[in-house]
Amino acid sequence: MATATMVDAPVDLEQVEMLITSLLIQATRPMSKPSRLGRRRRRLAAKPMQLATA
């Protein structure tokens, strides 16, 4: 975990807080979505089982 200390005008601090929040949201979204590769692997792993039960 990193820490930053800012001392400046309140307006500047609000803008920095907005920027950091935006960056955190942008970084979190891709990590919370399943990857395309992960979905493909699950589909491929399920095919042999589907064939065996058919």
Side-chain angles (χ1 to χ4, degrees):
M1 167 91 70
T3 303
T5 303
M6 297 271 315
V7 179
D8 208 346
V11 172
D12 292 338
L13 294 176
E14 289 175 17
Q15 291 175 348
V16 169
E17 184 178 0
M18 184 73 74
L19 174 64
I20 291 172
T21 302
S22 174
L23 291 172
L24 284 171
I25 291 170
Q26 290 177 42
T28 304
R29 278 189 185 156
M31 290 188 291
S32 63
K33 292 182 181 179
S35 70
R36 289 184 189 179
L37 182 57
R39 285 192 302 262
R40 182 174 177 181
R41 284 183 182 161
R42 282 192 295 274
R43 251 193 331 233
L44 292 175
K47 278 190 178 184
M49 189 173 289
Q50 289 171 351
L51 294 174
T53 58

